[in-house]
């Protein structure tokens, strides 16, 4: 027990799913397994000060300002985690978070936000309890992150992270993510350039989005497709087959949006410029042979994934052809990273 310290702080990255998590059962259990690249620069830094108290309470600040709109989500999170982090019941917490990416960029920040907070809370618990040690620290932090936002469970590991049971990885679990090593050393380091098509808030919260899968007409098919795509993706990484990697990644992105378009109620989250960008990316790949592909979150922004050795070529293409379709010409250059860092 180390109680000399009364403040902890973690920087945790966002991630971009290659196989998308879409649909969940009770208690944040995913309908299908997912796998993501962990990002490097796009991250959240959270610090938590704690002091002894008769009962649990917390204050939350975002970039040093109080943010009442975040409280309902945080209340739900704390009600889910209190039985798993019992030491919190006698602490008063002061939480402060800040993002490395612009607030107006429309980038989903729940993965970096919840994973950085979960890492802080898991570290605090480990100071009071011997049930958390170096061996299980990240597994526990991933479990706690999941109870805030499913995709956040994957952010505690880099460069690849898998959440949800799949026969491809024996250790995989619906309750927490596991790190995936890229054993094939030929497989390139990937860059991710996020093209900001729409900087506004999300039109559909992911809570509502996941719910649409409960009675979705293609629910069964989607679950089997995700397993099939997962196995194709693993094979493509293991054998360094970038064409097949691209095929699966783009299929997953379009499937996510197709599922939303065929939900009841339905949502169209593409913007005309999302389509303009996608068409140009495919054309550029066909014409130049550059191994670049697109993927999407539940929004209009486009993530461009490409090997680092094509950085200059792709940057030239972005400036010349794609930036005109971005909101205020804005895009963020990131790359695949190694996971969270303790401050
Ligand atoms: O973690 P949530 O509940 O915000 O869901 C994320 C869902 C997607 O970003 C669309 C896909 C994914 O796997 O990250």
């Amino acid at each position: 027990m180390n109680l000399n310290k009364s403040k902890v702080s973690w920087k945790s990255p966002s991630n971009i799913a290659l196989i998308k998590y879409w649909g969940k059962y009770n208690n944040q259990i995913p309908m299908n397994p997912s796998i993501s690249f962990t990002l490097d620069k796009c991250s959240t830094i959270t610090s938590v000060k704690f002091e002894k108290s008769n009962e649990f309470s917390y204050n939350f600040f975002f970039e040093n300002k109080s943010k009442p709109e975040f409280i309902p989500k945080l209340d739900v999170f704390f009600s889910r985690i209190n039985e798993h982090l019992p030491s919190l019941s006698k602490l008063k917490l002061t939480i402060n978070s800040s993002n490395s990416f612009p607030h107006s960029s429309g980038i989903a920040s729940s993965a970096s936000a919840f994973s950085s907070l979960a890492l802080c809370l898991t570290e605090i618990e480990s100071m009071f309890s011997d049930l958390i040690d170096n061996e299980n620290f990240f597994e526990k932090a991933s479990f706690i992150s999941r109870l805030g936002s499913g995709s956040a469970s994957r952010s505690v590991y880099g460069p690849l992270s898998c959440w949800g049971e799949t026969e491809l990885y024996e250790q995989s679990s619906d309750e927490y993510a596991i790190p995936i090593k890229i054993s094939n050393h030929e497989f390139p380091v990937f860059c991710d350039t996020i093209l900001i098509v729409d900087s506004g808030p999300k039109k559909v919260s992911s809570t509502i989005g996941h719910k649409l899968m409960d009675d979705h007409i293609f629910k069964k098919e989607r679950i089997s497709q995700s397993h099939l795509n997962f196995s194709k993706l693993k094979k493509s990484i293991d054998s360094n087959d970038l064409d097949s990697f691209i095929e699966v990644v783009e299929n997953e992105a379009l499937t996510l949006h197709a599922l939303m378009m065929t939900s009841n109620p339905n949502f169209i989250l593409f913007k005309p410029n999302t389509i303009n960008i996608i068409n140009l990316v495919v054309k550029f790949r066909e014409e130049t042979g550059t191994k670049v592909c697109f993927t999407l979150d539940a929004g209009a922004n486009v993530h461009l994934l490409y090997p680092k050795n094509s950085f200059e070529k792709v940057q030239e293409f972005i400036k010349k052809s794609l930036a005109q379709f971005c909101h205020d010409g804005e895009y963020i250059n990131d790359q695949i990273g190694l996971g969270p860092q303790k401050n």
Side-chain angles (χ1 to χ4, degrees):
M1 205 190 308
N2 166 15
L3 293 176
N4 298 328
K5 212 172 146 192
S6 57
K7 184 179 167 191
V8 295
S9 177
W10 281 85
K11 177 177 171 187
S12 188
S14 185
N15 67 70
I16 179 69
L18 305 172
I19 303 293
K20 308 289 180 185
Y21 148 56
W22 199 238
K24 61 179 169 183
Y25 303 116
N26 279 345
N27 217 9
Q28 304 276 97
I29 296 298
M31 275 183 191
N32 66 277
S34 57
I35 185 164
S36 50
F37 272 151
T38 305
L39 299 188
D40 186 40
K41 277 203 309 215
C42 290
S43 57
T44 301
I45 295 182
T46 297
S47 67
V48 180
K49 280 192 204 147
F50 57 98
E51 55 189 282
K52 288 225 159 165
S53 163
N54 288 333
E55 55 178 14
F56 171 72
S57 65
Y58 74 93
N59 284 312
F60 178 78
F61 300 91
F62 183 75
E63 288 166 1
N64 297 315
K65 289 191 201 89
S66 79
K67 282 274 171 186
E69 64 269 37
F70 291 171
I71 298 301
K73 247 194 146 176
L74 284 166
D75 280 347
V76 171
F77 173 60
F78 279 111
S79 73
R80 287 178 184 155
I81 66 167
N82 58 21
E83 62 176 302
H84 304 289
L85 300 178
S87 307
L88 297 187
S89 65
K90 293 267 182 290
L91 295 177
K92 174 175 183 250
L93 309 178
T94 306
I95 305 165
N96 202 335
S97 279
S98 58
N99 287 342
S100 69
F101 41 89
H103 197 45
S104 61
S105 59
I107 297 184
S109 56
S110 69
S112 55
F114 276 108
S115 56
S116 59
L117 176 57
L119 285 155
C120 290
L121 300 177
T122 308
E123 188 185 346
I124 294 172
E125 182 73 21
S126 74
M127 294 175 187
F128 293 91
S129 153
D130 336 315
L131 294 176
I132 301 174
D133 52 27
N134 288 343
E135 285 287 296
N136 64 6
F137 179 81
F138 286 100
E139 183 178 300
K140 182 85 178 184
S142 173
F143 176 98
I144 298 296
S145 304
R146 178 194 111 234
L147 296 174
S149 157
S151 59
S153 67
R154 298 186 308 243
S155 273
V156 309
Y157 303 110
L160 267 179
S161 184
C162 159
W163 168 47
E165 265 180 53
T166 153
E167 57 185 27
L168 300 170
Y169 300 108
E170 231 178 78
Q171 316 286 323
S172 61
S173 166
D174 283 345
E175 303 212 323
Y176 48 82
I178 57 166
I180 302 295
K181 275 216 180 88
I182 301 179
S183 46
N184 166 16
H185 296 296
E186 308 276 286
F187 192 75
V189 172
F190 265 78
C191 296
D192 179 2
T193 298
I194 306 155
L195 302 161
I196 312 297
V197 171
D198 185 4
S199 63
K202 287 206 255 175
K203 252 197 350 205
V204 191
S205 76
S206 50
T207 314
I208 293 173
H210 292 295
K211 224 161 169 27
L212 296 172
M213 286 309 289
D214 287 351
D215 303 310
H216 200 289
I217 185 169
F218 298 135
K219 176 174 166 179
K220 240 177 74 200
E221 289 77 3
R222 166 56 191 157
I223 295 173
S224 22
Q225 179 206 29
S226 70
H227 285 271
L228 191 67
N229 272 348
F230 207 137
S231 110
K232 283 189 195 161
L233 188 89
K234 180 175 186 298
K235 247 189 232 142
S236 71
I237 294 174
D238 291 345
S239 62
N240 204 23
D241 182 346
L242 293 187
D243 293 327
S244 134
F245 176 85
I246 287 170
E247 198 180 296
V248 177
V249 168
E250 294 189 345
N251 179 258
E252 278 289 310
L254 295 174
T255 296
L256 172 70
H257 284 255
L259 287 168
M260 284 186 263
M261 287 193 251
T262 49
S263 295
N264 188 12
N266 63 63
F267 292 96
I268 301 178
L269 301 185
F270 285 147
K271 293 274 185 247
N273 283 342
T274 313
I275 314 269
N276 285 331
I277 289 172
I278 288 177
N279 286 337
L280 283 173
V281 169
V282 173
K283 188 161 172 262
F284 174 77
R285 182 170 68 231
E286 281 167 6
E287 285 173 3
T288 64
T290 312
K291 305 295 181 195
V292 54
C293 65
F294 65 85
T295 187
L296 306 159
D297 266 336
N301 296 336
V302 182
H303 288 246
L304 274 196
L305 300 177
Y306 51 95
K308 209 169 175 177
N309 63 9
S310 303
F311 183 78
E312 265 146 39
K313 213 163 152 192
V314 175
Q315 289 295 309
E316 209 179 291
F317 165 57
I318 293 171
K319 282 186 203 128
K320 196 168 143 237
S321 308
L322 303 182
Q324 58 178 318
F325 298 116
C326 297
H327 178 80
D328 286 341
E330 203 191 334
Y331 55 91
I332 297 172
N333 283 322
D334 204 343
Q335 67 171 42
I336 305 323
L338 296 177
Q341 275 170 354
K342 185 167 145 60
N343 287 328

